Amino acid sequence: MADNLRIALAGLGTVGAGVLRLLAENGDLIAARAGRAIEVVAVSARDRGKDRGVDLSSYAWEDDMTAFAGRDDVDVVVELVGGSDGPALALARKALAGGKGLVTANKAMVAHHGLELARLAEASEAPLRYEAAVAGGIPVIKGLSEGAAANRIERIYGILNGTSNYILSKMETTGRDFGDVLSDAQALGYAEADPTFDIEGVDAGHKLAILASLAFGTQLDFAAVDASGISRIRAADIAQARALGYVIRLIGLADCDERDGTRHLFQRVAPYLVPVRHPLAAVDGPTNAVVAEGNHVGRLLFQGAGAGDGPTASAVVADLVDIARGNRMAPFSQPVDSLVASTPADPGDRRNRAYVRFTVADRAGVLAEITAAMRDAGVSIESMIQHGHPEDGGEEPVLVAIVTHEGPESGVARALELLEGSPALVDEPLVMRLVG
Amino acid sequence: MADNLRIALAGLGTVGAGVLRLLAENGDLIAARAGRAIEVVAVSARDRGKDRGVDLSSYAWEDDMTAFAGRDDVDVVVELVGGSDGPALALARKALAGGKGLVTANKAMVAHHGLELARLAEASEAPLRYEAAVAGGIPVIKGLSEGAAANRIERIYGILNGTSNYILSKMETTGRDFGDVLSDAQALGYAEADPTFDIEGVDAGHKLAILASLAFGTQLDFAAVDASGISRIRAADIAQARALGYVIRLIGLADCDERDGTRHLFQRVAPYLVPVRHPLAAVDGPTNAVVAEGNHVGRLLFQGAGAGDGPTASAVVADLVDIARGNRMAPFSQPVDSLVASTPADPGDRRNRAYVRFTVADRAGVLAEITAAMRDAGVSIESMIQHGHPEDGGEEPVLVAIVTHEGPESGVARALELLEGSPALVDEPLVMRLVG
């Protein structure tokens, strides 16, 4: 058997401790598969004394994790610290520049600095891997960049944030409102104290930007992701969707269209209405799922646990096994300098059906105002449902939900512009598209 | 860019022609990803003159495909001829022994001769790849042996035969009987003229044996697969299952238990009752899906097209891209000589719930006879439903379906032994287990 693959582990939170547990439990089997053992040489974390339930005594300790880059006894650095910049990025740069491999679960860092890190990795001929950064334990980076490598990818979309999906599933099964369910999720550890990145689509946006680059051979462009989240969804929206035969899911979706020599890259994270018979509708709780549509393979679906110490550790160690086996794919599937620049696609051109929910003051004439704006913007209404009676003079704002026929997104946008400033609307309208 | 990866293609049926079309259409993109172009050098098929809709004029032609093994201008032979033995096997042996890589979609050959071929490949240090042999376009071999490589796999199961699944889905949506739906499927090209391998579980058994070896590190043992099919399922069974909240799917399932230093390998292909909320229940038509349960990653699901020229070609070319990139994993994930022998597990020990359908003569006392046998065998009955009235003296045989409480399979087997030879039973009982 070849020499051990020697690793240094930065960050000993749940995932870091999970990696150590996994290697201890499955080490023999991994060595048989990888052709060599994976050996933890050194570790680093903020607090050396903390009890993590794993024995650290056989590993060297570094107070400063960037010291890993200088250790001759380390082949690969595993970065599980998190954060797009700061110490994680400093470590990643130093490790790769020094010719060490890097495995990371850090979606924010890869989304923001992936190209720079890939350039460093390619210059040093050092491996850079980040399977755990997207969709937790699901081998979707591998599925996309290797399994589907023979295909032009036409579209990629999926459920990329477990916290949001857990909240939406709970709202669905309990009929409760967003705020309630979020509080419960926080108490249960499914949502963080500051849940902004998860519920506002930022975390899913990081993952989507990475997937889009791999799928379309475009340069990573997280800044161009059009991200919105689930915090404005109400129990009534979910009930409404259900009545129409849909469930609501936070979907990250990307496609890429080449026109006049320019790649128009569309990247959106938003709540969508998904038909109940669609495979993504059955994805409940913290599960993630990704669909890739290739021009020869058709629709591929990858599904599994999107977070948690075991699944994330599984993805981290799968990367280490790949490195141990000598798999030397470029970090972004093809050489970083061959990735092409793209321009953000104009969403106004996209055709789909939309669900538009208005929160209206309870006064006469409001339905006429809304339908007139839709007509003037050329939007054809398929159905309109109201909760409560907006024109019977009550005091509570009521909800009016419209589903449009298929049309360009610019139509709905124009209708909402026409309604802007209307005293009939007491809140910004919520637009969700239907997955076709 | 490195030298082209030069391939020779044996077999120009739908899949072979699909590979040529795919390479023509996506060649540039594949070269960018693989770091080198994939170049078809030579082809071979039974009939040179046949119009396949692809231009063969730029490729060398060999009447005898085993001549590929002797060509200095070929790096990898792609075998798409099919058949477990015969010319396909002769070609595979000769190519690998001569140091050429082999990519094949031939599940029967891999299931029967995979270990021998892997030994040849390892001795020659030549790659051997067969992603297309299992579940068509789905990268499940890769997902299992690379994506889930960090895990002890606890169980693997899935829908591995598109023809059977198409027939079951059609029976479900139309309420029609097996024979009718099969004839239609044959007319539409979803089932072959001789459908035995598909509908009797043999094809799924080939695939299951391959997955089991990869999952558990055991030697391939197709002969030990306990395979049955769907030809005895009636419309009434499907209606019954539906009433209980289940759909019927032909499932291949394997697990492996180590006791007293021996691996007990369980491999079964059989129709199962799957809860309607289970991800496999939503898998309709010719789609395939595989679930792998790992000890850290939990449940992974891979889903996509299980057959067809485009999806199968996608898997074949993904293997070629892997080889072009220099990915050198052992053919069975770990060296073939490290795979361990197993003994077939005793199914009698397995605990589950069962659906047992009896076809009974319409005569007095039959229900008492069946329930007495169940009681004497220690099988606890959860529910019993009969179609028609077995004790009212009519002439038609009627169906009696029982669902048992959880218990060992040996119990149901014992009950059926007790009923053997009973004049009340006009046909062999049909037993289907429930997915837990």
Side-chain angles (χ1 to χ4, degrees):
Chain A
M1 203 167 270
D3 292 341
N4 292 352
L5 184 75
R6 301 164 304 171
I7 70 168
L9 195 59
L12 293 171
T14 42
V15 176
V19 168
L20 293 177
R21 270 197 305 275
L22 189 157
L23 289 172
E25 194 177 339
N26 293 353
D28 290 350
L29 175 154
I30 289 167
R33 292 173 180 164
R36 51 204 284 216
I38 295 173
E39 177 192 355
V40 181
V41 169
V43 296
S44 176
R46 222 170 325 177
D47 177 1
R48 186 169 187 175
K50 186 175 169 188
D51 180 13
R52 300 171 171 90
V54 284
D55 177 16
L56 303 177
S57 61
S58 58
Y59 316 129
W61 179 272
E62 295 282 4
D63 285 319
D64 173 10
M65 62 188 181
T66 61
F68 290 158
R71 289 185 71 113
D72 290 339
D73 59 353
V74 169
D75 302 312
V76 178
V77 172
V78 179
E79 184 277 304
L80 301 171
V81 174
S84 62
D85 293 78
L89 183 62
L91 171 62
R93 284 175 173 152
K94 208 166 164 190
L96 290 169
K100 303 220 180 291
L102 182 76
V103 171
T104 177
N106 188 334
K107 52 218 95 176
M109 180 177 76
V110 177
H112 285 279
H113 305 288
L115 298 186
E116 178 205 331
L117 296 177
R119 264 188 209 100
L120 284 174
E122 290 180 13
S124 305
E125 298 187 27
L128 164 61
R129 294 265 173 174
Y130 48 87
E131 182 66 80
V134 178
I138 311 172
V140 63
I141 304 261
K142 182 173 282 288
L144 185 60
S145 55
E146 302 178 37
N151 293 266
R152 184 165 48 71
I153 301 297
E154 295 172 335
R155 189 159 73 137
I156 184 150
Y157 61 104
I159 294 171
L160 298 171
N161 183 270
T163 303
S164 293
N165 206 58
Y166 173 85
I167 292 172
L168 289 173
S169 304
K170 274 286 168 198
M171 289 174 71
E172 213 170 287
T173 50
T174 64
R176 290 161 65 207
D177 246 315
F178 175 79
D180 270 11
V181 175
L182 172 60
S183 306
D184 276 10
Q186 288 172 314
L188 289 165
Y190 284 119
E192 306 205 32
D194 178 359
T196 314
F197 267 34
D198 289 320
I199 64 175
E200 296 304 350
V202 180
D203 174 78
H206 288 147
K207 297 165 181 168
L208 182 67
I210 296 169
L211 290 176
S213 173
L214 290 166
F216 308 120
T218 46
Q219 292 168 6
L220 252 170
D221 190 4
F222 168 68
V225 175
D226 170 23
S228 59
I230 62 169
S231 58
R232 296 188 55 229
I233 296 171
R234 300 194 185 181
D237 293 313
I238 289 179
Q240 208 55 261
R242 173 64 77 177
L244 296 163
Y246 291 80
V247 297
I248 300 176
R249 293 285 179 266
L250 183 69
I251 301 279
L253 184 152
D255 56 37
C256 188
D257 184 24
E258 186 159 356
R259 284 196 315 274
D260 315 323
T262 303
R263 306 269 187 114
H264 298 262
L265 178 63
F266 179 76
Q267 302 177 98
R268 174 186 281 159
V269 176
Y272 276 79
L273 270 64
V274 179
V276 288
R277 292 288 299 170
H278 191 285
L280 293 188
V283 178
D284 287 333
T287 304
N288 280 195
V290 180
V291 174
E293 293 174 354
N295 68 335
H296 285 257
V297 75
R299 183 201 275 180
L300 289 175
L301 170 73
F302 304 91
Q303 186 173 324
D309 55 338
T312 309
S314 169
V316 166
V317 178
D319 280 345
L320 292 170
V321 170
D322 261 8
I323 293 170
R325 281 172 165 163
N327 184 331
R328 290 290 181 168
M329 190 180 67
F332 282 88
S333 176
Q334 61 190 67
V336 63
D337 288 331
S338 72
L339 298 173
V340 299
S342 64
T343 189
D346 177 3
D349 296 345
R350 304 180 74 81
R351 295 183 63 83
N352 45 41
R353 293 165 67 204
Y355 169 98
V356 189
R357 185 254 290 157
F358 300 92
T359 313
V360 304
D362 197 0
R363 66 176 196 85
V366 55
L367 294 184
E369 194 179 342
I370 290 172
T371 52
M374 290 284 173
R375 178 199 61 210
D376 294 346
V379 176
S380 165
I381 295 174
E382 183 187 295
S383 61
M384 176 158 70
I385 308 157
Q386 61 185 72
H387 279 270
H389 303 276
E391 296 180 350
D392 69 0
E395 305 233 329
E396 286 291 294
V398 294
L399 303 187
V400 176
I402 282 174
V403 176
T404 71
H405 282 290
E406 188 179 298
E409 294 195 0
S410 56
V412 172
R414 175 78 189 123
L416 298 189
E417 273 171 31
L418 292 174
L419 287 165
E420 228 169 66
S422 160
L425 305 187
V426 299
D427 193 9
E428 203 189 327
L430 175 67
V431 181
M432 296 188 279
R433 273 83 194 184
L434 279 59
V435 168
Chain B
M1 204 170 274
D3 292 342
N4 292 352
L5 184 76
R6 301 163 305 171
I7 70 168
L9 195 59
L12 293 170
T14 42
V15 176
V19 168
L20 292 177
R21 269 197 305 277
L22 189 157
L23 288 172
E25 194 177 339
N26 293 352
D28 290 350
L29 174 155
I30 289 166
R33 291 173 181 164
R36 51 205 283 215
I38 295 173
E39 178 192 355
V40 181
V41 168
V43 296
S44 176
R46 221 168 329 177
D47 177 0
R48 185 169 187 173
K50 187 174 167 188
D51 179 12
R52 298 172 172 90
V54 284
D55 177 15
L56 304 178
S57 62
S58 57
Y59 316 129
W61 178 273
E62 296 282 2
D63 286 319
D64 173 9
M65 62 187 180
T66 61
F68 289 158
R71 289 186 71 113
D72 290 338
D73 59 353
V74 169
D75 303 311
V76 178
V77 173
V78 178
E79 184 278 305
L80 302 171
V81 174
S84 62
D85 293 79
L89 183 62
L91 172 62
R93 284 175 173 151
K94 208 166 164 189
L96 290 170
K100 302 218 181 293
L102 182 77
V103 171
T104 178
N106 189 333
K107 52 218 95 176
M109 180 177 77
V110 177
H112 284 278
H113 305 289
L115 297 186
E116 178 205 330
L117 296 177
R119 263 186 210 100
L120 284 173
E122 290 180 14
S124 304
E125 298 187 27
L128 164 61
R129 294 265 172 176
Y130 47 87
E131 183 66 80
V134 178
I138 311 173
V140 63
I141 304 262
K142 182 173 281 288
L144 186 59
S145 55
E146 301 178 37
N151 292 267
R152 183 164 49 71
I153 301 297
E154 295 172 334
R155 189 160 73 138
I156 185 150
Y157 61 103
I159 294 171
L160 298 171
N161 183 270
T163 303
S164 293
N165 206 57
Y166 174 84
I167 292 172
L168 289 173
S169 304
K170 274 285 168 199
M171 288 175 71
E172 213 172 284
T173 51
T174 64
R176 291 162 65 208
D177 247 315
F178 175 80
D180 271 11
V181 175
L182 172 61
S183 307
D184 277 9
Q186 287 171 316
L188 290 165
Y190 284 118
E192 306 204 32
D194 177 358
T196 314
F197 268 33
D198 288 320
I199 64 173
E200 297 303 350
V202 180
D203 174 78
H206 288 147
K207 296 164 183 169
L208 182 67
I210 296 169
L211 290 177
S213 173
L214 290 166
F216 308 120
T218 46
Q219 292 169 6
L220 253 169
D221 190 4
F222 169 67
V225 175
D226 170 23
S228 60
I230 62 169
S231 59
R232 297 187 56 228
I233 296 171
R234 299 195 186 181
D237 293 313
I238 288 179
Q240 208 55 263
R242 173 64 78 178
L244 295 164
Y246 291 81
V247 297
I248 300 176
R249 294 285 178 266
L250 184 69
I251 302 280
L253 183 151
D255 55 38
C256 188
D257 184 24
E258 185 159 358
R259 284 196 315 275
D260 314 326
T262 304
R263 307 269 187 115
H264 298 262
L265 179 63
F266 179 77
Q267 302 177 99
R268 174 187 280 158
V269 175
Y272 275 80
L273 271 64
V274 178
V276 288
R277 292 288 299 171
H278 191 285
L280 293 187
V283 178
D284 288 333
T287 304
N288 280 197
V290 180
V291 174
E293 292 174 353
N295 68 334
H296 285 257
V297 75
R299 184 201 274 180
L300 290 174
L301 171 73
F302 304 92
Q303 185 172 325
D309 56 336
T312 311
S314 168
V316 166
V317 178
D319 280 346
L320 292 170
V321 170
D322 260 8
I323 293 171
R325 281 172 165 164
N327 183 332
R328 289 289 180 169
M329 190 181 65
F332 282 88
S333 177
Q334 61 190 68
V336 64
D337 288 330
S338 71
L339 298 173
V340 299
S342 64
T343 190
D346 177 5
D349 297 344
R350 303 181 75 81
R351 296 183 63 81
N352 45 41
R353 294 165 67 202
Y355 169 98
V356 190
R357 186 254 290 156
F358 300 92
T359 312
V360 304
D362 198 359
R363 67 175 194 87
V366 56
L367 294 184
E369 194 179 342
I370 290 172
T371 51
M374 291 284 173
R375 178 200 59 210
D376 295 347
V379 176
S380 166
I381 295 174
E382 183 185 296
S383 61
M384 176 158 69
I385 306 155
Q386 61 185 71
H387 280 270
H389 302 276
E391 296 180 349
D392 70 358
E395 305 233 329
E396 285 291 295
V398 295
L399 303 186
V400 176
I402 281 175
V403 176
T404 71
H405 282 290
E406 188 179 297
E409 294 194 2
S410 55
V412 172
R414 176 77 190 123
L416 298 189
E417 273 170 32
L418 292 174
L419 288 165
E420 227 168 67
S422 161
L425 304 186
V426 299
D427 192 9
E428 201 188 329
L430 175 68
V431 182
M432 296 188 279
R433 273 83 194 187
L434 279 59
V435 168

